[in-house]
Amino acid sequence: MIGGDVAGTISCKHEIPLICAGVETWNFKETGDVIPTLQAGNHGYTINAMHAVRCDHIVRRLTPAECERLQGYPDGWTDIPDYIDSRGRRRKASDSARYTALGNSIALPQWRYVLGNISRYLPPGATLGSLFDGIGGFPLVWEGIHGAGSAVWASEINEFCVAVTKYRFGGLS
């Protein structure tokens, strides 16, 4: 809990709490371990165990919305409309692209803390430029502290991440 924000627990039908369980990637069987954190590896898989959610003894993947909440993003942050990529092709925001972008993103709560403390030592009117920004995590945190328009540029190479940042921040590029 930072700054009085409390994240509620994720639950499934009948309000049964969800448990993040370790699942072996080679046979998709539960390891019996309860995993305290989520990790992203190669396309969402870790080297040793995949992190899934068990609800009423049924293992399921986290939804993109649950991943957004775990990272501290607003609901639907990566749920953007169709976008045009750098080659001029129309693309859809697939769940796969959302999982990859969130897995490679930053978790916002600790960056709110860090940037909030650093900001005390910056001159008035300080702005942010963000290199390899992902889905706009740093501009989101920065503008939450310094106000809209204080993040002046962001750079990213992943097409979907660029589309999320452009959608959420308009002219920020």
Side-chain angles (χ1 to χ4, degrees):
M1 182 167 86
I2 295 176
D5 293 337
V6 177
T9 58
I10 302 170
S11 61
C12 61
K13 63 182 178 177
H14 312 299
E15 298 303 313
I16 300 167
L18 299 179
I19 298 169
C20 197
V23 178
E24 295 173 345
T25 55
W26 55 90
N27 62 13
F28 295 101
K29 292 185 180 178
E30 281 194 56
T31 64
D33 298 328
V34 174
I35 308 299
T37 60
L38 300 175
Q39 300 173 349
N42 184 16
H43 302 289
Y45 294 95
T46 63
I47 294 171
N48 53 6
M50 183 175 74
H51 303 290
V53 173
R54 183 176 37 161
C55 175
D56 203 16
H57 302 290
I58 298 170
V59 175
R60 70 165 179 79
R61 285 181 178 257
L62 292 171
T63 65
E66 290 168 335
C67 293
E68 288 169 342
R69 290 175 183 170
L70 286 168
Q71 293 286 79
Y73 286 92
D75 285 352
W77 185 260
T78 58
D79 188 12
I80 62 171
D82 293 357
Y83 62 96
I84 306 297
D85 69 13
S86 62
R87 295 181 181 164
R89 293 185 295 196
R90 180 173 295 278
R91 309 287 269 203
K92 293 191 178 293
S94 68
D95 281 355
S96 177
R98 293 176 71 189
Y99 284 123
T100 300
L102 285 159
N104 290 327
S105 185
I106 61 169
L108 302 183
Q110 70 268 23
W111 283 107
R112 281 189 187 103
Y113 177 80
V114 170
L115 289 177
N117 285 314
I118 289 173
S119 293
R120 290 188 258 171
Y121 302 99
L122 297 176
T127 58
L128 172 81
S130 184
L131 186 61
F132 299 113
D133 186 69
I135 55 175
F138 285 117
L140 179 61
V141 170
W142 184 267
E143 289 194 355
I145 296 167
H146 296 279
S150 58
V152 294
W153 64 267
S155 175
E156 177 55 54
I157 58 174
N158 178 285
E159 298 269 1
F160 177 71
C161 293
V162 169
V164 171
T165 301
K166 284 184 177 180
Y167 180 73
R168 296 296 172 193
F169 293 98
L172 190 65
S173 59

